[in-house]
Amino acid sequence: MQIQNMMNTPPVRVSEAESLENAARRMADAGVGALPVVDGDRVIGVVTERDLVVRAMARGLSTGSPVKRVMSTDPVTVEADTAVAVAILIMRSARVRHLPVVAEGCLIGIVSFDDLFWQLTQELSDLAVVVDAARKVPQVFHGTDKAPLLDG
């Protein structure tokens, strides 16, 4: 499965000149924990809830300060056709919980660790249902009996 099938789109975004207050409001309104920081459609950074707390509030920055003061620069991004397993490895190795998704360098979505976790949990649950159902299937489907509908 590709990451584009799991990303949130359209992604909520913010510019580096916008205020910390505006960034926090956008996060709250969208129910997200991070925003890609963009210049046009190009991702130039990421600002997270943690950035707002640790880099802004804890240091006494004004809520009117620009996002640029606290954002992480050189963000890790993935292309839309990246395999989910690869995206997870990238997140782990980069120690990030949010990945902007790009196509030809332009932001098209974002995926969080929570998005991936819940999707994979659902897939495992679906697989468990199939396995459980297979255990309950009559022997006919395991090749030891004749099919009931075909018995003459």
Side-chain angles (χ1 to χ4, degrees):
M1 179 180 290
Q2 296 178 337
I3 206 68
Q4 65 189 342
N5 299 325
M6 298 177 78
M7 69 184 182
N8 292 306
T9 186
V12 181
R13 58 183 77 196
V14 67
S15 76
E16 66 181 344
E18 290 185 60
S19 71
L20 298 176
E21 180 178 5
N22 190 42
R25 187 171 289 116
R26 285 185 188 215
M27 283 184 205
D29 290 348
V32 297
L35 298 174
V37 181
V38 296
D39 181 6
D41 283 333
R42 304 281 179 199
V43 180
I44 60 171
V46 173
V47 62
T48 67
E49 293 169 325
R50 188 173 194 285
D51 293 331
L52 295 176
V53 171
V54 175
R55 293 180 177 173
M57 290 177 59
R59 293 183 180 160
L61 290 182
S62 161
T63 59
S65 297
V67 166
K68 183 177 184 172
R69 301 256 331 250
V70 300
M71 72 182 198
S72 299
T73 56
D74 294 326
V76 176
T77 63
V78 292
E79 289 288 329
D81 62 353
T82 301
V84 169
V86 172
I88 292 170
L89 290 174
I90 290 169
M91 291 175 91
R92 286 195 60 182
S93 66
R95 293 184 166 173
V96 296
R97 296 183 55 83
H98 303 88
L99 278 177
V101 180
V102 298
E104 298 178 15
C106 295
L107 179 67
I108 61 167
I110 190 165
V111 66
S112 72
F113 175 81
D114 289 348
D115 297 331
L116 297 173
F117 175 79
W118 288 112
Q119 178 65 35
L120 294 173
T121 299
Q122 183 61 52
E123 288 179 14
L124 285 173
S125 177
D126 293 347
L127 180 59
V129 168
V130 170
V131 169
D132 189 49
R135 288 183 179 147
K136 296 175 183 175
V137 171
Q139 289 296 333
V140 64
F141 295 105
H142 294 288
T144 57
D145 293 324
K146 291 182 180 178
L149 297 177
L150 298 178
D151 288 345

